[in-house]
Each structure stands twice: as C-alpha cells, then as structure tokens.
Amino acid sequence: MRHCVLAFLSLTILANFNSLLADTGDRPNIIYILSDDMGFSDIGCYGGEIKTPNLDSLADHGVRFTQFYNTARCCPTRASLMSGLYPHQAGVGHMMDDHGYEGYRGELSRHCVTIPEALKNAGYRSYMSGKWHVTKAIDPKTDADKANWPIQRGFDRFYGTIHGAGSFFDPNTLTRDNEFISPFNDPEYGKEDWPGETYYYTDAIADHAARFVRDHHFQSGDQPFFMYVAFTAAHWPMHALDKDIAKYKGVYDAGYDAIRDARYKRMLELGLIDADSTVNWPIPDAWKESEFWEWDKRNMEVYAAMIDSMDQGIGRIVQSLKDTGQFENTLICFLQDNGGCAEGYGRGGVGSERADKPTLATLPADYLQPDMTPKQSRDGFVMRTGKGSMAGPADTAIGYGRGWATVSNTPFREYKHWTHEGGISTPLIAHWPAKIRRHGELETTPGHLIDLMATAVDVSGATYPATYHDGKEIKPMEGKSLVPLFAEDADTRDEFDREAIYWEHEGNRAVRVGDHKLVAKGAKGEWELYNIANDRSEQRDLSSEMPETVQKLAAMWQAYAERANVLPLNPGNQKHAERATMNVKQTRFKLNMGDKLHRTEAPYIKNKAFAVTADIDVKGDGVIVAQGGSSQGWSLYLKNGKLCFGWTQNGKRVVTTSDARVSGKQQVTAIVSKPGTVQLKIGEKQVAESKIDGLLGEQPLDGLQVGQDENGAVGPYAVPFPLQGTVNQVVIELMK
C-alpha cells in the first residue's frame, strides 16, 4: 500500500477539503482520456443517441461538468492539457509549424513541464497511449530531433502516433516508445492481440492503455501512475469496423434536424442545458446533403461507430483497473479536444465505388506509412474521396461535414477552430470511487483544461517545479485544481473561484468573466458580448447595450494576450514573420562585459557563418560570450584554463577544445565557417579545429550575454558559469 499525506497549498484549503482528501492514505492513479473532434452532445450521457455505456456508467457514478472548455483545436488543446498553461505559453498557439514567435513555435516549450514531468517528484510512473501532436518532429533525423517526443517529455512508456491525423487502419508515425513501427509486423501487438481480425487504431490505443495498467500493477504496483489516453476517434477520416457500423444502420434515416431535435430534448431532460438559455435553430438547407443524402447518412453512421468503438475500448481500460484492484482509487477524467469538425476533408467532387479487385501492389508488412492520407490501402486499393464514396473502409478518406457537425454541437454556435461555444465546449466526466461521492450529479461551474495539471498536482501531492530542463525557468500553472468541485459540500464548491478564462486561435478570440463572454471571429472581427447564463447559444449580442462591459473585458483580454505570447494575431510563416522581428540587417556587433541582447536584437545567425573575437583579461574559467541555449546556440568559454567553443544544433552538442591554456590579457577568436568547421585562435595562432553539421537552421530561442550564459547551457557547464575576469571587448561579424 502507498501511504502519503497529500500536501495542500494552504491550511484553509486543507480544512475545506478535509472530508474529501485528508484521510486518504493512497495517492490515486490518474487517467486523463481525450477524444478527438467530437461535439458536446455526441455521447449518451450528454444527450447523444450513440451507444456509450461505459462513459455513461462513469458519469452515473461521478460528476458531469456542463461548462467545461478546451481551446478549439487539437494540438493547442494537447499542449494546454499537458502543461497547465494556455497554448501560446506552451509554444503551440497555432499548429505544428514555426511562425517565428514564442507563442507559435509548433513545439512544446522548454519553459513548461508536462504532467508526467511534474509528477515525477511524487513518485509517479507515467504512460501514454494515442495521439501526441505537440511537436513538428514527425520525420526526425537524429535522436536530438525527438526532444519533444513523449518519452523525452516524461512518459515511461508510449504507444501511439506523433502526427495529428491519419488512417485508422494504417496510421502514420506509429511509434512504440521512441521508434517507428508498422502495425503489421509488430511482435508486441500482432494479430493474436487484436480484438478482431483487422488492425484498428482505436482498438490498439485502448488495448495498450489496458496493458499498461496491468503491467504497472505487476511490475510497479507500489507506485501510483498517471496515464494519458488520447484517442483519434472521431477525427476524420471516417474509418470504422463493419461490426460497429452495422449497429447504426438506419439510426440517422430521420435526418439532421430530427436527430438534433431529439438530442436537444434529451439534453433538457438531463439538465445539461435549459430552454431559457438555448435555442435549437433549424439547420440551414445549404448545410445539408440532398442529392447525396445516402452518402452523408453513411458518414454519420461511421462517425457514430467510431465513438462506439472508443467507448468499448474505455470499457476495457476500466476492466483492467478492476481486474488489478486499482479501480476504486483511480481518478478518471474524460473530455474532448475541440467541438465538432465542419472541415470539408474528402467531401469535394463526386467519388466512386470500390473496384472489384486491387489495382496496386500489396504493401509489405514492414512498410512504414509516410502519409497522413495514404495513397492506397495496404491490400492495393486506391484511396477514394468525394460524394458517393461510402466511408468506413481503409481505402476511403472522408469527413462528416458541417451539417452533422451542427448536430454534434447541439445547441451551440460554430465549430472546431472558433471560440464560440460550439468550438470550445466539451463534456468532462470525473470519476473517482474512493473520493467522489456526487454520483450522477451535474457541475455547472466553468472550468478549462488548464485545470487538469493543477488537479493532478493537487491529488498526487507533487511539487510543481519552478525550474526544469537544465535550469530553465518554468511558467507558473494557469489553472485551478478541480478538487473542490468534487466535494459534496456546496460551500466547498463555492470556494472555487477564478477571475477569467481566455481563448485565442487563428484570430478567433474570447474571454469569459462570470456569466459574460466576449468573443470575436477572426483577427479583424468585431467583439460580440453574450450573457452565457441566459444565452449560451450566443444569439443575442449585447455589445451595443453594454459598451462599458465590452471595454472592460476587451482590456482584460488584451492584457492576457500581451503576457501569454498570443500577439501578434495570426502571424505568417516563419520566414517572413521571423525576419520581420529579428535584427537581420546588422552584421557587426561590438559588445562589452555584462552586455545582453534579446534574441530579436542578437546577431541573426540562421544559416550564417560568423567570427567572434574577444579581448579578455582572465583569472579563471567561465563564459566569455554565449548566444542561445540547449537546443540551438554557441558559446566561447574557458574551462580548466583552456579555450573552448560549444556548438549546439538541434540539441546535439559539439565541443571544440584547444590544448593551449589562456591566462591574463589575451585576444581569442572563434570562426564558424560555411563548410561546417569551427576554428579557434589565440592571438594569430590557430589552436584547434573541428567539424560541425553545417550552420544553424534556426535562430536560437535564447538571447546573447557577454561574461556569462544566463539561460539554457550551450556548453558542458552549469549556467550561468560567469567568467573569472573581464571581457574588455567582443566583436562579432557575420559573413556573407
């Protein structure tokens, strides 16, 4: 048995939560389950007709949140969930591309920690199964390129995909721990392990999660665990197994409006919404299919089957907890990464029926799928898209479109991408038999997925770190622990209070303060104001009636945007955005001891050769001048009395060291040349030379300092490693 007293931030909180947590001896296991591209009303316990008995059971014996929020898009949500920060603070304000700004790097920042990293000091082991999607390194050339892969960010075991989307029958970037694998020659999860005769990614995610639960029990049962299960259901393409699709044949014959009306009625009956604050407006005809109705009905049948399959997998995970005696003391949270998806993936033009026989060669078992949308199925059929190509099989690539996305988001406005309620509202089911006694109750307090880090830290007794990743400063958590909202005592729940919740994605932006929500579509869109308490469908804009409230909330959002790396809105691609902000014109720099340059002021050394000459008067070791950090950068320094040059490229470090010792007054030089060499000189004499892998392909994230290295260490020393002596002058010259 694990015995540990959970630490709370204050005696007041300890007193308030005494009945919920203080008497526990065992820190709970924690499982966060995230689904992909699903609407608020899809699962049964939130009003949907889709069969989700396992999620419904968790809801019946736990708490359902009615006003919980995500970030409106897949990878920003994942970065936010993992870090407890808003997505721009975690480096993923858009997608997995670098737009040249700290909030839009397309990589999980080193100034944040993940939940598994934060929980390590509390003795937790961590496992992940499913979609990662917080790094652009989907085709790594070296191990250093995997710096933001799951194992490198704190997980002990991983099975899943690095990329954000792909075939459910042949996923790209499929990875076990740190190596790409093919599902068709995987000795650890072969045909004998598949629930059916066909590899299906949703099954594989669930089966590996269940396996991790069992393996942990038998191998590390004296430790608690954290597990992140990130399903790709029900993201396009609409792929499902025949046995699951068959369950939904005919279910959607009544059409979009009838299904939506039935959902709306059930949501009212369940108390998830009320008729006074929502409007179930008719779906415009332009959003529906008429000529290809049978085809679009099939799309929804497959979509439902995908969710059904996911629920079956969640059932297997729950059963693994029960089989190993871990169910009672496991906190399970289920939520979704964004609202229903209205994207037109695979819906253009007119498609075709499947050929009678394959026209292409069968792919070998060890073939690693390189494409998000494969060019063919494994058995040689050409990929089919367009209206009339019936979704479901491996050779189709179809999305379910705006009409069905509107049904999924009943009764909210907009979709994935947007920060109106339809884009950001998610179910949250919290289930913890040992401590949550609110069985089947609804929780109306607004929350955000930034709260999941704070919750994990709270229940685990972990200490959230101030520094991590070789001494980098870690941004404080933005979220609040949900533990008070698990309590039976209404007074305890009332103590959960926050100033505001914020959003931004692709220029779509919002802030919620109490019942008021300010929201806009696009970077140039006008602010709209809604009272969510009586207009959650966002139908009556109050901005003209309440200009002072608009002004107040807009100022709050602006302050958030300025502190949280949100600005500028919608930055362009890296090349243009970066060059617009960097010091690209200056080619010669003359600096002195103690000088510091921000990365935007420092030498712009992306793809540039350069020379550094320093006049020094030294008495011991330390950094003469350094630019960058542990990912990209360079440093001229003295160690053991010898002149050294550290070069870090994509996390790979090369150190050039001279045999000659340096003391007193000297002039030292380092030359980085285009052929990929580093030369060191003392005076006019060359004292060392070494090879490097070309010039830096990125401008370093950290700036430049003379006399020390303040941030991430470029060389093999502990920051800041100040120079024992004086730097009289440094001259840096960039070469053409």
Side-chain angles (χ1 to χ4, degrees):
M1 299 290 290
R2 304 184 294 272
H3 295 279
C4 167
V5 178
L6 292 173
F8 293 94
L9 298 177
S10 70
L11 291 176
T12 301
I13 296 175
L14 179 61
N16 288 338
F17 297 170
N18 183 69
S19 63
L20 184 64
L21 289 175
D23 61 349
T24 184
D26 286 50
R27 291 165 294 168
N29 302 315
I30 305 166
I31 300 179
Y32 289 162
I33 303 174
L34 186 70
S35 69
D36 202 346
D37 279 18
M38 287 172 55
F40 187 78
S41 69
D42 279 327
I43 62 178
C45 53
Y46 277 77
E49 68 293 328
I50 301 172
K51 295 178 174 62
T52 54
N54 294 294
L55 285 172
D56 297 350
S57 178
L58 294 176
D60 287 343
H61 297 87
V63 178
R64 277 172 295 166
F65 287 67
T66 65
Q67 298 188 68
F68 204 79
Y69 292 111
N70 50 47
T71 72
R73 194 75 178 276
C74 42
C75 42
T77 281
R78 289 154 211 280
S80 189
L81 185 158
M82 274 289 100
S83 68
L85 304 174
Y86 286 108
H88 306 78
Q89 294 173 305
V92 189
H94 184 242
M95 294 289 282
M96 309 325 303
D97 44 5
D98 190 338
H99 287 230
Y101 295 90
E102 293 305 298
Y104 300 90
R105 284 292 168 193
E107 287 284 351
L108 197 62
S109 172
R110 292 274 154 179
H111 289 285
C112 71
V113 290
T114 63
I115 294 174
E117 288 170 341
L119 267 53
K120 279 191 183 298
N121 63 50
Y124 275 66
R125 286 183 61 81
S126 295
Y127 309 97
M128 180 182 170
S129 185
K131 170 178 168 177
W132 183 232
H133 205 201
V134 288
T135 175
K136 56 180 175 285
I138 60 173
D139 186 23
K141 306 302 181 187
T142 67
D143 285 342
D145 293 340
K146 302 177 182 179
N148 276 326
W149 279 28
I151 296 296
Q152 282 77 356
R153 294 308 301 255
F155 287 97
D156 295 291
R157 293 175 66 182
F158 168 64
Y159 176 89
T161 44
I162 305 299
H163 192 251
S167 169
F168 284 72
F169 297 105
D170 190 11
N172 67 324
T173 70
L174 187 64
T175 302
R176 185 181 304 286
D177 293 330
N178 250 359
E179 301 298 329
F180 288 142
I181 58 172
S182 165
F184 300 99
N185 72 337
D186 182 0
E188 296 190 39
Y189 186 72
K191 290 184 177 180
E192 65 279 4
D193 302 302
W194 301 346
E197 297 181 358
T198 303
Y199 176 87
Y200 186 59
Y201 188 34
T202 300
D203 284 341
I205 291 171
D207 292 344
H208 279 82
R211 177 180 293 181
F212 291 157
V213 168
R214 291 189 170 91
D215 287 352
H216 176 88
H217 172 70
F218 291 112
Q219 298 170 8
S220 307
D222 57 339
Q223 293 179 266
F225 71 81
F226 167 72
M227 185 160 66
Y228 175 37
V229 185
F231 287 100
T232 52
H235 195 293
W236 49 251
M238 303 293 102
H239 282 171
L241 298 171
D242 290 341
K243 67 180 181 64
D244 295 321
I245 299 172
K247 299 178 187 179
Y248 295 93
K249 186 172 180 56
V251 170
Y252 298 100
D253 286 0
Y256 311 90
D257 290 305
I259 299 299
R260 188 160 174 264
D261 290 345
R263 287 192 180 193
Y264 184 72
K265 181 179 178 182
R266 279 193 295 273
M267 295 173 78
L268 293 174
E269 292 169 350
L270 291 169
L272 296 161
I273 57 173
D274 62 75
D276 293 335
S277 64
T278 56
V279 176
N280 196 40
W281 65 89
I283 302 174
D285 289 341
W287 301 0
K288 306 172 186 176
E289 287 291 339
S290 54
E291 181 182 357
F292 293 95
W293 162 240
E294 291 296 324
W295 166 77
D296 213 27
K297 181 178 66 174
R298 165 76 173 200
N299 291 331
M300 189 60 190
E301 292 171 355
V302 177
Y303 178 85
M306 296 167 77
I307 296 171
D308 187 309
S309 175
M310 177 188 68
D311 184 79
Q312 295 173 49
I314 291 171
R316 296 198 295 277
I317 297 169
V318 167
Q319 190 61 49
S320 71
L321 290 167
K322 292 178 177 178
D323 291 345
T324 55
Q326 301 178 90
F327 182 66
E328 292 294 315
N329 200 30
T330 297
L331 168 61
I332 300 174
C333 292
F334 170 85
L335 70 161
Q336 298 163 189
D337 67 347
N338 46 247
C341 176
E343 295 167 352
Y345 175 83
R347 296 177 63 86
V350 177
S352 61
E353 295 183 3
R354 186 176 186 175
D356 292 335
K357 56 177 133 182
T359 57
L360 301 171
T362 301
L363 296 175
D366 61 354
Y367 178 78
L368 297 178
Q369 179 56 250
D371 300 317
M372 180 183 74
T373 302
K375 296 178 177 60
Q376 67 167 88
S377 63
R378 282 273 174 169
D379 54 359
F381 287 91
V382 175
M383 197 62 56
R384 295 178 291 131
T385 63
K387 295 176 172 61
S389 293
M390 293 299 187
D395 64 334
T396 60
I398 312 288
Y400 79 153
R402 189 175 186 181
W404 290 121
T406 305
V407 174
S408 286
N409 288 341
T410 304
F412 303 143
R413 269 185 65 190
E414 304 301 339
Y415 317 90
K416 171 184 176 179
H417 297 263
W418 286 276
T419 55
H420 286 75
E421 294 291 283
I424 58 176
S425 297
T426 172
L428 175 69
I429 299 169
H431 180 276
W432 183 6
K435 294 300 166 186
I436 295 179
R437 305 284 195 264
R438 299 178 63 197
H439 293 179
E441 292 187 30
L442 301 177
E443 178 54 58
T444 60
T445 304
H448 189 282
L449 52 84
I450 53 173
D451 300 332
L452 295 178
M453 167 69 87
T455 304
V457 169
D458 189 351
V459 302
S460 69
T463 300
Y464 185 82
T467 60
Y468 209 83
H469 305 306
D470 298 324
K472 285 190 180 295
E473 184 177 346
I474 300 302
K475 296 178 181 179
M477 289 184 290
E478 290 279 348
K480 297 173 66 68
S481 172
L482 298 173
V483 167
L485 302 180
F486 298 163
E488 294 176 272
D489 183 4
D491 291 337
T492 299
R493 298 201 300 275
D494 288 342
E495 293 182 14
F496 184 93
D497 185 37
R498 71 188 335 140
E499 180 186 44
I501 305 174
Y502 300 95
W503 294 266
E504 191 283 332
H505 184 66
E506 296 181 321
N508 304 309
R509 55 206 191 279
V511 53
R512 179 167 174 177
V513 178
D515 290 332
H516 283 116
K517 179 183 173 188
L518 195 68
V519 60
K521 291 180 68 173
K524 297 182 180 180
E526 296 292 329
W527 285 116
E528 305 164 13
L529 179 66
Y530 299 100
N531 186 323
I532 296 300
N534 55 40
D535 183 18
R536 196 171 177 197
S537 294
E538 297 169 307
Q539 297 297 297
R540 185 186 172 198
D541 181 3
L542 303 174
S543 59
S544 62
E545 301 173 32
M546 305 176 67
E548 292 182 358
T549 302
V550 172
Q551 185 177 14
K552 176 185 174 182
L553 269 59
M556 291 178 66
W557 185 90
Q558 184 68 24
Y560 151 76
E562 291 175 1
R563 75 169 176 83
N565 301 334
V566 174
L567 303 178
L569 293 181
N570 276 349
N573 62 45
Q574 179 187 16
K575 179 179 178 182
H576 295 99
E578 184 173 76
R579 290 186 65 85
T581 58
M582 298 298 164
N583 187 3
V584 298
K585 294 183 178 180
Q586 187 175 354
T587 59
R588 191 174 191 273
F589 297 77
K590 188 175 179 180
L591 306 166
N592 300 307
M593 185 76 173
D595 283 349
K596 301 177 184 179
L597 298 177
H598 187 267
R599 71 183 297 263
T600 59
E601 304 167 323
Y604 187 64
I605 57 173
K606 178 179 177 180
N607 298 321
K608 290 283 188 180
F610 59 93
V612 184
T613 300
D615 293 319
I616 56 177
D617 186 357
V618 298
K619 300 175 183 178
D621 294 344
V623 171
I624 300 168
V625 56
Q627 180 181 359
S630 56
S631 177
Q632 313 280 348
W634 60 270
S635 175
L636 185 63
Y637 63 97
L638 300 174
K639 192 169 185 180
N640 299 323
K642 297 180 179 181
L643 184 65
C644 304
F645 186 84
W647 178 260
T648 302
Q649 188 170 10
N650 298 325
K652 178 183 177 182
R653 179 185 292 160
V654 175
V655 176
T656 306
T657 304
S658 73
D659 291 330
R661 292 186 175 273
V662 179
S663 62
K665 293 184 178 181
Q666 296 280 1
Q667 185 178 82
V668 296
T669 302
I671 302 171
V672 177
S673 63
K674 283 187 177 180
T677 60
V678 172
Q679 295 175 317
L680 295 183
K681 293 182 178 182
I682 301 176
E684 296 297 323
K685 182 180 179 182
Q686 180 173 315
V687 293
E689 182 174 8
S690 63
K691 294 283 188 182
I692 56 174
D693 295 332
L695 304 177
L696 292 184
E698 298 182 22
Q699 174 75 346
L701 294 179
D702 296 331
L704 180 146
Q705 303 94 40
V706 179
Q708 61 180 334
D709 184 355
E710 287 188 344
N711 297 310
V714 180
Y717 48 72
V719 294
F721 198 40
L723 180 68
Q724 304 304 303
T726 303
V727 180
N728 296 316
Q729 179 179 278
V730 172
V731 176
I732 302 173
E733 294 187 275
L734 306 186
M735 305 174 191
K736 293 184 179 180

